[in-house]
Amino acid sequence: MQVNKVMLRQTLTVAMIATLSGFLVSAPGQAASGELDRTTLPIAEPEPPTYTELDVRDTKPPPRFEVTAPEGAPNVIIVLIDDLGFGATSTFGGPIPTPTLDELAQGGLRYNNFHTTSLCSPTRVALKAGRNHHTANAGSIMETSTAYPGNTGAIPNRVAPLAEMLRLNGYSTGAFGKWHETAAWETSVSGPFDRWPTRQGFDKFYGFIGGETDQWSPLIFDGLKRINPPRTKGYHFTEDMTDQAINWMKAQQSMTPDKPFFMYFATGATHAPHHVPKEWIEKFHGQFDEGWDQVRQTSYERQKKAGIIPGNTQLPPRPDDIKAWDQLSEDEKKLFRRQAETFAGFVAHTDHNVGRLMDAVAAIGEMDNTLIFYIAGDNGTSAEGGMVGMFNEMTYFNGVQEKVEDLLPLIDKWGSPETFPHMSAGWAVAFDAPFTWTKQVASDFGGTRNGLVVHWPQGIQAPGGLRNQFSHVIDVAPTVLEAAKLPEPTVVNGTPQVPMEGTSMLYSFNDAEAKERHTVQYFEMFGNRAIYREGWLARTIHRAPWQTGKQKPLKDDVWDLYHVREDFSLANNLADKHPEMLKELQALFMSEAEKYHVLPIDDRTIERTNPALAGRPDLIGDRKSLTLYEGMDGMLENTFINVKNRSKTITAEIEIPEGGASGALLVQGSRYGGWSLHVREGKPGYEYNWLGLQRYVIESPDALPSGKSTVVLNFVYDGGGLGKGGEATLLVNGKEVAKGRVEKTQPYIFSADETADVGLDNQTPVANGIGYGPEETKFTGKIHQIMLEVK
């Protein structure tokens, strides 16, 4: 038996050496032809040969095993802009100059029939997965995930992302900017980190993990480590992430010039908050004075003249809820003009920074062999600003309507660090020309059709063309694989894969008349749903994006029918003329919805931000208390104990040095809404900041003595519904020192990206008078522990 084992080992060794020498014997990870088997990732390393020789001088080492990208595989850059509609950029006939996008289009191709999912997380997941967003459990944004398949927010292992496929095939991979693909309950220090960027195929990540961030004071992660942004004058996150992307790319190409790179460059712009340097806003002063109706009309005419849309395209009416511009008051017009100027400045500033990245690619000589996708929006322009816009976007998420008279005094500050703004919905419709609807409306091309430019000098023979074949965001990943001459893997990291549901667009690169290959596609978001098949679209508008309350029953929705090859803008409803076609497509929608885990449909919006109502995991769960220590900062809202709409007690065991102390003890939120227990000029205090609009301050008249102290804040909630007020009482060492009334509280959310922090206030300050940023607000005494209890 022992002899047989030896003989077997010798036989295997001979076979392995033969394989490594290029003979026809196959080894793990290697096909019979000697080529690597790239369908199973990672590619298995061959078994090492054994040697019988004593002296290394009598031997030769085996060839080094290394996985490299196929010869000639291009670099790949995907630029994804946030909340930017089809009719905004100059490249697609809009009013906002985007010279970088223009230049890439002149040297590449424009796609005028490219679609997204109508919302950010689902588009981003689908983009990198090559599968439908429900297949990847991203039926909506991560913060509104539910317990149902297709909507859980947890990207499954069977849906490996493009970045991981490329990394395991010899690419360097880097992601910069917005992520918004990690399950909300997995964003704490406890992880798991499987769905963070560096476990989703990226060697490098620099950006923010949630859905939006303050562009002046962002919450940044470098890999898994939270870092503070550079303290530079006029700091802006888009400029910072561009610097980081350029530096990474240059270093990668310097060290490994023969190794291609994949870069995902996803700006937080132009999602709210619309934060942009004032000089960029001023570039557009007076350019939107004519109002949203005329801007939309002019864009439509420009699009037709340029051939971006067919000559027979009609301009459908705007939604009934949005006023005609000539019906607005002068105060409304004044406010809304400034909102549009700010948004336009934000778009132009973003395109400028993309231009800096492109200049860097050219400077290192990599432009010709770099496949660039510049996607002008992950969905349509956002109408979440409602009818008048918002100085603070968090008002939308808390069901509060801002008023023109309150916003007018803030015009000169619009876009600055003192605002967290969003524009009114009328502009969203104008910047989505020639369509009717906007972001969130998956059943209208205003929500899903986005301008795409593809640039690849070595792969596009006739630049400057227009492509009108139907395509979808799930088509990008298979396009990249085909361009890189890589097969779609069937197994990744030990898990059999769901086949990609997208269709490579490479067939259209050099054939403008090529027959469309992506022929069927469903759409669904919060009850808005549609089905496309071979030039026809059946759809229903279930809710407008500014409608956050209870909706009509799904079964009562009325469906429309459009022949989109003859009706680019969905202006002519043919439901009455072709009832059988409509019925057939409705049945197809239900079939596709069942197949891809779209059913059952959940049309709730704000309610789904509450884990208990949505049914998704909650890191804190039913716990009623949390013990906190110094160093625990940067805790995102979805991983912190929920204090909204309930009573709470905060007990801080602290120590004051001689001479007194100041700074934050425990805070949650931002200058745009939250609460703070702190010491200001030696005096303990509690401040409830209601949406940046109203502040309730309870503060001791006396400073804390040196030595150990116990500071307690009791808040007794009134009850009787959401967002009610309560009584706040402050005690020091068991003695009541202050008491006051908090008239109202925020019912649903404090912030999308600002955090709960112990011993400092990490980004923008919740309370006035204790500093700005983590250094100025750091508590100068000692925190032993803080107990937070809810009732």
Side-chain angles (χ1 to χ4, degrees), residues 34 89 663:
T89 67

Side-chain angles (χ1 to χ4, degrees), residues 357-379:
L357 175 62
M358 295 300 116
D359 289 345
V361 176
I364 62 173
E366 289 297 319
M367 185 61 80
D368 284 352
N369 195 36
T370 298
L371 172 57
I372 299 167
F373 297 84
Y374 189 152
I375 306 172
D378 57 355
N379 41 245

Side-chain angles (χ1 to χ4, degrees), residues 13-134:
T13 300
V14 170
M16 186 59 64
I17 294 174
T19 298
L20 292 170
S21 301
F23 295 155
L24 295 180
V25 181
S26 296
Q30 200 158 7
S33 65
E35 293 292 322
L36 293 177
D37 178 7
R38 298 178 187 265
T39 61
T40 298
L41 300 176
I43 299 167
E45 297 179 358
E47 291 289 333
T50 58
Y51 292 87
T52 58
E53 296 85 349
L54 177 64
D55 193 331
V56 72
R57 297 171 184 81
D58 300 329
T59 65
K60 289 184 178 181
R64 179 184 174 219
F65 178 77
E66 181 184 16
V67 175
T68 58
E71 186 175 353
N75 306 310
V76 179
I77 298 177
I78 297 176
V79 175
L80 181 64
I81 310 301
D82 206 343
D83 281 10
L84 185 62
F86 185 86
T89 67
S90 57
T91 315
F92 289 89
I96 306 172
T98 47
T100 302
L101 190 59
D102 290 347
E103 184 176 349
L104 290 173
Q106 291 162 10
L109 301 170
R110 281 180 299 183
Y111 283 77
N112 71 351
N113 200 1
F114 176 81
H115 298 80
T116 57
T117 70
S118 83
L119 203 62
C120 38
S121 294
T123 290
R124 292 160 194 277
V125 172
L127 170 67
K128 293 195 284 298
R131 289 90 157 182
N132 288 309
H133 56 296
H134 288 91

Side-chain angles (χ1 to χ4, degrees), residues 278-561:
K278 191 169 185 177
E279 60 267 24
W280 285 88
I281 301 173
E282 295 305 323
K283 290 176 186 285
F284 294 93
H285 181 68
Q287 293 192 25
F288 297 94
D289 287 0
E290 58 191 353
W292 51 57
D293 289 326
Q294 188 57 52
V295 167
R296 184 173 184 246
Q297 179 71 33
T298 302
S299 293
Y300 160 70
E301 293 170 357
R302 192 187 300 117
Q303 289 167 332
K304 285 202 300 181
K305 184 177 180 180
I308 294 164
I309 65 177
N312 67 347
T313 302
Q314 299 176 41
L315 187 65
R318 73 181 112 69
D320 292 338
D321 289 349
I322 297 174
K323 291 181 181 179
W325 183 263
D326 59 13
Q327 294 177 353
L328 300 174
S329 68
E330 286 305 311
D331 280 350
E332 288 174 317
K333 290 178 180 178
K334 183 179 179 181
L335 172 64
F336 298 160
R337 286 168 183 147
R338 189 60 170 182
Q339 293 174 352
E341 292 165 2
T342 302
F343 181 75
F346 203 17
V347 174
H349 177 259
T350 304
D351 183 78
H352 168 75
N353 280 282
V354 177
R356 291 204 298 124
L357 175 62
M358 295 300 116
D359 289 345
V361 176
I364 62 173
E366 289 297 319
M367 185 61 80
D368 284 352
N369 195 36
T370 298
L371 172 57
I372 299 167
F373 297 84
Y374 189 152
I375 306 172
D378 57 355
N379 41 245
T381 311
S382 173
E384 293 163 353
M387 295 304 108
V388 301
M390 298 175 289
F391 121 90
N392 174 11
E393 194 206 9
M394 289 303 109
T395 57
Y396 169 82
F397 294 107
N398 285 285
V400 174
Q401 179 65 56
E402 297 190 39
K403 298 178 181 179
V404 171
E405 56 266 32
D406 297 326
L407 299 179
L408 273 172
L410 298 164
I411 280 183
D412 290 338
K413 297 179 180 179
W414 210 266
S416 75
E418 297 174 71
T419 63
F420 204 86
H422 199 307
M423 65 188 174
S424 54
W427 288 122
V429 175
F431 293 136
D432 285 328
F435 308 112
T436 298
W437 292 95
T438 63
K439 175 184 178 181
Q440 289 195 23
V441 185
S443 46
D444 187 84
F445 291 158
T448 66
R449 187 167 289 181
N450 288 90
L452 165 67
V453 165
V454 178
H455 186 275
W456 186 24
Q458 289 188 4
I460 295 172
Q461 297 169 2
L466 180 71
R467 298 293 183 266
N468 56 26
Q469 294 90 348
F470 181 94
S471 54
H472 191 271
V473 69
I474 62 176
D475 297 339
V476 173
T479 305
V480 171
L481 290 181
E482 185 178 1
K485 299 181 176 62
L486 290 171
E488 180 185 335
T490 56
V491 178
V492 178
N493 294 323
T495 302
Q497 294 294 293
V498 174
M500 284 190 174
E501 292 150 2
T503 302
S504 171
M505 301 159 61
L506 203 68
Y507 75 93
S508 67
F509 280 14
N510 295 307
D511 187 356
E513 304 302 321
K515 185 178 180 181
E516 181 176 292
R517 295 186 182 180
H518 191 144
T519 58
V520 175
Q521 180 62 48
Y522 80 88
F523 297 89
E524 191 278 328
M525 194 65 60
F526 298 128
N528 291 319
R529 54 206 190 275
I531 184 77
Y532 171 85
R533 186 184 69 182
E534 298 179 345
W536 289 85
L537 183 85
R539 69 94 177 273
T540 184
I541 304 294
H542 178 68
R543 55 171 293 275
W546 48 83
Q547 294 172 337
T548 57
K550 187 176 181 180
Q551 302 300 315
K552 63 185 176 183
L554 289 160
K555 63 181 176 59
D556 293 343
D557 287 335
V558 177
W559 284 67
D560 304 332
L561 178 68

